[in-house]
């Protein structure tokens, strides 16, 4: 799997309305409303008063985690993140499209000034505290900046993005005030704030950064671990008596180890309440065999792409565009996702997923769309004439390109077969190779806020000025327009062909409320529970 833009970053194409934001000396935005996004989530959203008090929620783990620090590289596993999620709520809420607002359980306000460097003053909720009762203070935020920027020898942090753009963190007038000063104008200032702080004592030295067991003093959340049975492979999480916010609806959350091959049977036998099935057709059918369940599905954070070489015959951008015009990306999506042809939209933007704010279909905007007739014309104009056997020729050489067929990528075989027939219709022969192909399939994981982390293709000198403007532009509408210009240029370069957005698919027990397929949104663990 190829993973890009994993880090959470504040989406540049939004206008944010965080509590207490102050006026900025930068020009007034041309629009006070957020850039729209076609984003949805499927979580059986219910207000708290319609969720039953009490109950148990059951998850599976392949193995018990050995690292309890959510920001330690060793905790970057699906099992660890699943377990730690209800123990580490985010300090900023994200909606289905990734738009940010403060979490009032932790932050009273976030005041933003640009003079000209961006400075954010946080007012911490005075009730917020760590699991041993100690208050969360500016010292914790200062320590987080230090560990995230490599100032603690031997302590490596992961999943703490955005801090590299912060020049300084200090306390304000009181220990509950935090002043975060960026190195320059920063439209994505919320990026480092999303995860919240790490307790200062946990960053004192490298040994303190590694948590081999659960210590409630490291956490501030509505739930706490009450029992770890390593022999039976069971971890029990219950309501945290130190929690100052809304009382969680659930009494308990239980995690137990289940071998991956046994998860389907455990779910079907009502031993689990949640099963993240991904895009596996086999798991989808197995989940449908379970009674009293529902499939929750929403557009996900990942997309399927083809990375295109720029050497050999593909060194000519016109040939790359002809290849793009010959590919029916909607048909590829329908095949991969077992969908009815025509119901899955192609994804046509290298910067944004279709459900993210500011997304524009750049295939339509540029005219580089699926059109076999136009693909043939584009290739003919590039000097590739029809050949006797249906394969185009130039200077006697056939137009043949290769595709990296990865046995570990379950979708690549079907994709190769369909691509071969599509390209053949335009006079292009596709041949499979084990590695180093002209077309290489990949899955990319996107940040909720991608414009803070542009793709490698945008780093060309051609785009230097435009990228520089995007990195500092405070006006949401202007920044969206700049991002559109860059996305159109990248689409015409055709060095990465975005294909389709992958869905989130989560099978759950009937009646589970406020949990399922969230898209980019955060989970309010206090509200997760069971309908009456």
């Amino acid at each position: 799997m190829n993973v890009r833009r994993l880090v959470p970053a504040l989406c540049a194409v939004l206008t944010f309305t965080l509590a207490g934001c102050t006026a900025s000396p930068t020009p007034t935005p041309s629009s006070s409303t957020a850039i729209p996004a076609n984003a949805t989530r499927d979580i059986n959203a219910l207000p708290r008063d319609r969720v039953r008090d009490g109950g148990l929620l059951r998850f599976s783990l392949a193995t018990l985690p050995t690292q309890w620090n959510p920001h330690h590289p060793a905790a970057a596993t699906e099992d660890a993140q699943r377990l730690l999620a209800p123990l580490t709520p985010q300090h900023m809420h994200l909606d289905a499209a990734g738009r940010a607002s403060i979490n009032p359980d932790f932050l009273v306000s976030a005041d933003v000034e640009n003079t000209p460097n961006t400075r954010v003053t946080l007012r911490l909720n005075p009730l917020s505290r760590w699991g041993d009762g100690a208050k969360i203070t500016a010292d914790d935020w200062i320590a987080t900046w230090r560990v995230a920027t490599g100032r603690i020898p031997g302590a490596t942090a992961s999943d703490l993005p955005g801090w590299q753009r912060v020049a300084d963190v200090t306390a304000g007038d009181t220990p509950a005030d935090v002043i975060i000063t960026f190195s320059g104008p920063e439209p994505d200032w919320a990026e480092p704030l999303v995860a919240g702080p790490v307790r200062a004592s946990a960053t004192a030295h490298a040994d303190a950064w590694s948590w081999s067991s659960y210590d409630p003093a490291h956490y501030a959340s509505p739930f706490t671990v009450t029992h770890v049975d390593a022999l039976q492979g069971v971890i029990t999480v219950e309501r945290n008596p130190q929690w100052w916010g809304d009382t969680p609806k659930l009494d308990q959350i239980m995690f137990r180890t289940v071998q991956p091959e046994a998860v389907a049977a455990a779910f079907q036998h009502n031993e689990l309440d949640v099963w993240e099935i991904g895009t596996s057709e086999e798991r989808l059918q197995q989940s449908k065999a379970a009674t009293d369940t529902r499939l929750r599905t929403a557009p996900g954070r990942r997309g399927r792409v083809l990375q295109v070489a720029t050497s050999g015959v593909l060194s000519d951008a016109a040939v790359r565009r002809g290849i793009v015009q010959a590919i029916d990306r909607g048909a590829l999506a329908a095949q991969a996702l077992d969908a009815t042809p025509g119901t899955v939209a192609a994804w046509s933007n290298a910067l944004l997923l279709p459900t993210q704010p500011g997304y524009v279909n750049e295939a339509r905007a540029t005219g580089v769309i699926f059109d076999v007739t136009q693909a043939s014309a584009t290739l003919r104009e590039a000097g590739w004439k029809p050949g006797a056997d249906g394969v185009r020729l130039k200077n006697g050489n056939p137009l043949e390109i290769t595709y990296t067929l990865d046995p570990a990528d379950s979708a690549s075989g079907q994709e190769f077969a369909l691509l071969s027939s599509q390209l053949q219709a335009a006079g292009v022969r596709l041949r499979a190779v084990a590695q180093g192909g002209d077309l290489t399939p990949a899955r990319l994981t996107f940040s909720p806020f991608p414009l803070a982390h542009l793709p490698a293709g945008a780093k060309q000198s051609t785009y230097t000025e435009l990228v520089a403007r995007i990195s500092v532009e405070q006006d949401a509408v202007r920044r969206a327009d700049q991002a559109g210009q860059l996305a159109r240029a990248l689409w015409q370069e055709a060095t990465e062909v975005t294909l389709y957005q992958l869905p989130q698919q989560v099978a759950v027990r009937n009646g589970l409320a406020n949990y399922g397929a969230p898209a980019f949104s955060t989970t309010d663990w206090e509200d997760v529970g069971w309908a009456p």
Side-chain angles (χ1 to χ4, degrees), residues 174-190:
T174 75
D177 296 318
V178 186
I179 300 173
I180 300 171
T181 304
F182 287 82
S183 302
E186 184 51 67
D188 301 302
W189 55 263

Side-chain angles (χ1 to χ4, degrees), residues 353-411:
L353 287 169
T355 52
Q356 293 186 299
Y359 173 84
V360 174
N361 183 328
E362 299 299 351
R364 187 178 299 120
T366 61
V368 185
I369 60 175
F370 169 58
D371 184 329
V372 177
T373 301
Q374 186 57 49
S376 298
T378 300
L379 294 172
R380 186 170 56 251
E381 290 170 6
W384 293 92
K385 309 301 182 184
D389 61 352
V391 178
R392 294 181 177 276
L393 299 171
K394 184 177 183 179
N395 299 327
N397 298 313
L399 181 49
E400 178 180 281
I401 60 175
T402 56
Y403 174 93
T404 307
L405 194 60
D406 183 0
D409 181 353
S410 59

Side-chain angles (χ1 to χ4, degrees), residues 199-472:
R199 188 164 186 172
S201 60
T203 70
H205 47 78
D207 290 342
W209 185 244
S210 183
W211 311 344
S212 60
S213 60
Y214 177 78
D215 181 350
H218 289 150
Y219 303 87
S221 75
F223 289 96
T224 187
V225 173
T226 56
H227 185 65
V228 178
D229 187 335
L231 186 62
Q232 297 296 322
V234 175
I235 296 175
T236 304
V237 174
E238 298 182 352
R239 292 171 175 170
N240 181 4
Q242 295 279 359
W243 179 246
W244 58 94
D246 290 331
T247 301
K249 289 295 183 176
L250 292 169
D251 287 320
Q252 289 185 334
I253 304 174
M254 183 177 291
F255 300 87
R256 71 181 183 91
T257 55
V258 181
Q259 293 302 308
E261 62 272 14
V263 172
F267 186 76
Q268 291 167 352
H269 295 156
N270 194 17
E271 297 170 6
L272 299 171
D273 298 312
V274 178
W275 183 19
E276 298 171 13
I277 63 175
T279 57
S280 166
E281 179 63 23
E282 179 183 12
R283 291 195 294 271
L284 176 61
Q285 297 305 322
Q286 290 171 331
S287 72
K288 290 180 177 179
T291 59
D292 192 35
T293 62
R294 288 287 301 272
L295 179 68
R296 300 292 177 192
T297 183
R301 302 182 180 198
R302 294 178 176 179
R304 184 80 175 175
V305 305
L306 285 176
Q307 294 170 339
V308 184
T310 57
S311 58
V313 298
L314 295 181
S315 61
D316 184 348
V319 175
R320 297 197 299 271
R321 285 192 289 272
I323 297 296
V324 173
Q325 292 170 322
I327 296 175
D328 185 347
R329 292 170 295 122
L332 287 170
Q335 171 186 261
L337 303 177
D338 192 31
T340 303
T343 63
V344 179
W347 165 34
S348 308
N349 190 308
L351 304 186
L352 302 164
L353 287 169
T355 52
Q356 293 186 299
Y359 173 84
V360 174
N361 183 328
E362 299 299 351
R364 187 178 299 120
T366 61
V368 185
I369 60 175
F370 169 58
D371 184 329
V372 177
T373 301
Q374 186 57 49
S376 298
T378 300
L379 294 172
R380 186 170 56 251
E381 290 170 6
W384 293 92
K385 309 301 182 184
D389 61 352
V391 178
R392 294 181 177 276
L393 299 171
K394 184 177 183 179
N395 299 327
N397 298 313
L399 181 49
E400 178 180 281
I401 60 175
T402 56
Y403 174 93
T404 307
L405 194 60
D406 183 0
D409 181 353
S410 59
S412 65
Q414 285 184 317
E415 190 172 85
F416 169 71
L418 186 51
L419 279 170
S420 296
S421 62
Q422 291 178 354
L423 292 175
Q424 181 65 41
V428 182
R429 179 185 294 147
L430 187 64
R431 179 170 56 86
V433 294
Q435 58 185 356
D438 296 311
L439 305 181
T440 300
R443 287 186 178 189
L444 301 183
T445 301
F446 271 63
S447 159
F449 318 108
L451 293 188
H453 303 275
L454 298 173
K459 304 302 171 61
Q460 300 178 41
S461 58
T462 309
Y463 310 127
T464 300
E465 182 179 349
L466 184 55
V467 169
R469 293 207 307 270
I470 292 171
S471 70
V472 299

Side-chain angles (χ1 to χ4, degrees), residues 29-70:
S30 56
S31 172
S32 61
T33 58
I35 304 297
N38 184 26
T40 59
R41 62 179 182 172
D42 185 7
I43 63 169
N44 188 26
L46 293 179
R48 282 180 56 83
D49 60 6
R50 291 182 57 193
V51 180
R52 174 164 55 91
D53 288 322
L56 168 69
L57 183 62
R58 301 166 298 172
F59 290 88
S60 69
L61 300 173
T63 60
L64 295 186
T66 58
Q67 178 55 247
W68 289 78
N69 181 348

